[in-house]
Amino acid sequence: MRQQCDIKNFRRRIISICENNAKYKNCLKHGLALKNSASKIFNTALLVVGVLCGVSYAAGLGAYSGGFERIPLTTEAWARGNAVSANPEYAAAHINPAKLGFVQGFQLSFGNTIRPLGRYENFLSAEYKIPDTRIGVGGVFAYRGISNLDGLRYEGEIYNSTSFINTTLKLGVGAIISRNWSMGFSATWFYSRMPVAFIPDSRDIKTNTNSTIGGLTLMAKYRNHRGFTGAIGIRDIFSYSDWSYKEADELFINTIMDTMPMLFVAAAEYEFTVLDTQTVKVSADFNGYWINSFFQRYEHVALSMNYGFEWSPNKVISFRTGIRDILLNRNFFADRPTWRDENNPRIGFGVGVNLETIPNWNLSRKFGVNYAVANSGAQAGLEHSVDLVFRW
C-alpha cells in the first residue's frame, strides 16, 4: 500500500514560525519541535518541510517549494537583484538558454557563495558557440548545501548533526532564428539528500536521496541595435521531488510529493552610453506564480519583481546594485499589514573587473572576476559571492 501526503499545510505552519524567528537554526528548532501527530508520515513531512523552510524561505515566496531554483546563481545575479534573465553574461543554460545563440567562442565560469549559518553554494558553467552555425550549447552544474546541520530537536531531544545537499545539472541549447530573435531550451537533473526521519535509539537522523529529471525551460530572447533586450518564457516545467521512506517495522511506504511552481518569466534590459565612455544597464525581471509544474492552478496568483542597475565608468570596472523578491499578491489589496510582513526584499551590491580589456597584460586576457554582497532574508548576516569568468 502507498500513502500520499500533501505538505502544503505543514509548510504554512512552519513558515508562520519562521516569520517570528530571525535565525535559521531557531526556525528549524521551533519548526521541528511542533507537537507530533500519531502518524509517522506527519513526522517525516514535518522534518522535510522544516529543512525546506530554512533553505528556501524567501519573503512571502516561502509558500512555494523549490526555492533553491529562485536563489541567484551567479555573482552578477546576486549583485543586480537577480534581474539578469534578459541578458545574462554567463551561466546562460541556467538563467536564459536563448542567450546561448549569441555566445562568442568558448566561455567557462565558476563561483562560490557563502551564506549565513553554514550554507554554501557553488556552480560551474560552460558555454560554446558551434562554429559557422547559429547554435550555442551550454551546461551548468550547481551545488547548494548545509554541511553541518545541527541542533535539530524532536520531542525535546537534540539529535546528531546531519547534512542537506541539493545539486542540479542543466543542459541547454540556443539558436538564433532571425537578426533580433533567438530561442532556447534546457532540461534539468535534480539530486538531493535530505533528512527524513528521527531515529530515537541512536539519536541519528535518517537521510534519503532523491533524483529526478525534468525542470524544462523554454525561453525567447529579443534584442535590437538601440540597446534594448527582452526575454519571455517558462521555467521549471515538470519539476518535482518525490520522497519515499519506509519504516523497518511497517508495511506502508510514506510518500511526499513536492511539486515546484512553474514560473512565467518576463524580463528586460536597457543599455545606453553616458558621456561617450560610460555604460549604464537597467534591468527588471517579473516572475509569475499561477500554476505548478504539472499545470495545477494555485489558489491565488502572485508576482515577484527584481530590479538591477549597472554602471561601467570604463571598460575595466563595473559597479552593480539591485533589489529582488518584491512580492505582489492578493494581500496587497486585501490585507496590507500582512503583505508588508510577507515582503522581505534583498538588496545586493557588487563590482566586476574585466581584466580582458587591460592592454599588454597577457596573463589576464580573456579573464574577469566579480564580487557581490547581499543581505540575508532571515536577517542572519550577509551573503558573499565571488566568481571567475574565462573567455576564449
Side-chain angles (χ1 to χ4, degrees):
M1 298 179 64
R2 187 177 179 89
Q3 296 179 338
Q4 292 190 344
C5 176
D6 182 358
I7 65 175
K8 184 176 181 180
N9 292 331
F10 302 144
R11 186 193 306 276
R12 289 176 176 172
R13 293 181 64 181
I14 298 183
I15 287 173
S16 66
I17 293 175
C18 293
E19 290 174 345
N20 297 318
N21 291 272
K23 297 293 184 180
Y24 164 74
K25 291 183 179 179
N26 286 342
C27 170
L28 289 170
K29 291 177 182 178
H30 289 285
L32 296 174
L34 289 174
K35 186 176 181 179
N36 180 31
S37 69
S39 172
K40 289 186 177 181
I41 193 171
F42 179 88
N43 301 336
T44 305
L46 190 59
L47 179 56
V48 171
V49 176
V51 175
L52 286 173
C53 173
V55 173
S56 65
Y57 179 74
L61 298 176
Y64 300 98
S65 62
F68 59 88
E69 284 289 278
R70 299 187 295 272
I71 297 173
L73 178 73
T74 66
T75 301
E76 178 196 24
W78 279 101
R80 293 175 57 185
N82 211 20
V84 294
S85 295
N87 190 33
E89 291 187 7
Y90 47 100
H94 181 94
I95 303 170
N96 182 356
K99 173 66 183 293
L100 292 170
F102 293 103
V103 170
Q104 300 296 323
F106 178 74
Q107 184 167 272
L108 178 70
S109 58
F110 58 90
N112 173 258
T113 299
I114 301 175
R115 308 183 68 194
L117 307 170
R119 294 173 291 173
Y120 294 90
E121 299 178 6
N122 306 275
F123 80 92
L124 174 65
S125 171
E127 295 148 332
Y128 178 66
K129 180 66 175 292
I130 300 176
D132 302 322
T133 71
R134 296 186 173 191
I135 299 174
V137 295
V140 178
F141 176 80
Y143 164 88
R144 301 174 177 92
I146 305 173
S147 58
N148 186 28
L149 184 59
D150 58 2
L152 300 183
R153 297 174 180 267
Y154 177 64
E155 294 185 343
E157 299 290 338
I158 300 178
Y159 278 65
N160 298 329
S161 63
T162 184
S163 62
F164 169 82
I165 294 175
N166 178 280
T167 62
T168 59
L169 174 64
K170 290 182 180 287
L171 301 177
V173 58
I176 300 174
I177 60 176
S178 71
R179 184 176 63 178
N180 301 114
W181 285 93
S182 66
M183 300 286 292
F185 167 84
S186 68
T188 308
W189 171 70
F190 299 99
Y191 173 82
S192 296
R193 187 178 71 188
M194 181 182 290
V196 294
F198 296 99
I199 303 176
D201 293 339
S202 62
R203 295 293 187 271
D204 290 330
I205 299 176
K206 178 180 175 62
T207 60
N208 236 356
T209 60
N210 168 66
S211 179
T212 59
I213 296 177
L216 307 181
T217 295
L218 301 172
M219 296 290 289
K221 173 184 167 72
Y222 170 84
R223 70 174 188 178
N224 61 29
H225 64 279
R226 299 181 182 89
F228 175 81
T229 303
I232 189 170
I234 303 175
R235 289 187 181 135
D236 296 327
I237 306 171
F238 305 127
S239 296
Y240 70 98
S241 297
D242 189 358
W243 299 90
S244 299
Y245 172 61
K246 182 179 181 297
E247 292 281 0
D249 57 347
E250 290 188 352
L251 299 176
F252 300 104
I253 297 177
N254 302 324
T255 300
I256 298 173
M257 175 71 78
D258 190 19
T259 304
M260 302 179 192
M262 184 188 301
L263 288 185
F264 293 84
V265 181
E269 178 183 281
Y270 181 59
E271 179 179 345
F272 57 95
T273 302
V274 179
L275 301 176
D276 295 330
T277 59
Q278 303 181 27
T279 302
V280 175
K281 295 180 182 179
V282 181
S283 58
D285 276 23
F286 302 92
N287 300 312
Y289 298 80
W290 177 43
I291 58 178
N292 68 18
S293 61
F294 285 88
F295 304 94
Q296 296 173 328
R297 184 176 178 180
Y298 289 119
E299 183 179 356
H300 301 287
V301 178
L303 176 70
S304 70
M305 297 167 285
N306 306 325
Y307 298 97
F309 177 84
E310 178 178 304
W311 170 55
S312 302
N314 51 55
K315 294 183 178 181
V316 177
I317 192 167
S318 298
F319 299 96
R320 303 170 177 133
T321 187
I323 183 170
R324 65 184 176 95
D325 293 340
I326 302 174
L327 178 65
L328 181 63
N329 61 11
R330 61 188 177 93
N331 287 327
F332 179 81
F333 306 98
D335 189 348
R336 195 63 62 87
T338 300
W339 174 79
R340 284 193 289 266
D341 292 338
E342 290 176 335
N343 264 281
N344 190 9
R346 271 42 96 70
I347 299 176
F349 300 92
V351 60
V353 179
N354 185 12
L355 300 178
E356 174 184 353
T357 61
I358 300 179
N360 301 321
W361 193 358
N362 293 329
L363 292 178
S364 67
R365 293 188 65 79
K366 309 295 183 181
F367 172 66
V369 59
N370 303 287
Y371 169 77
V373 60
N375 65 307
S376 167
Q379 305 304 323
L382 296 177
E383 301 174 319
H384 302 268
S385 179
V386 62
D387 61 30
L388 304 176
V389 183
F390 299 87
R391 301 179 181 91
W392 289 271

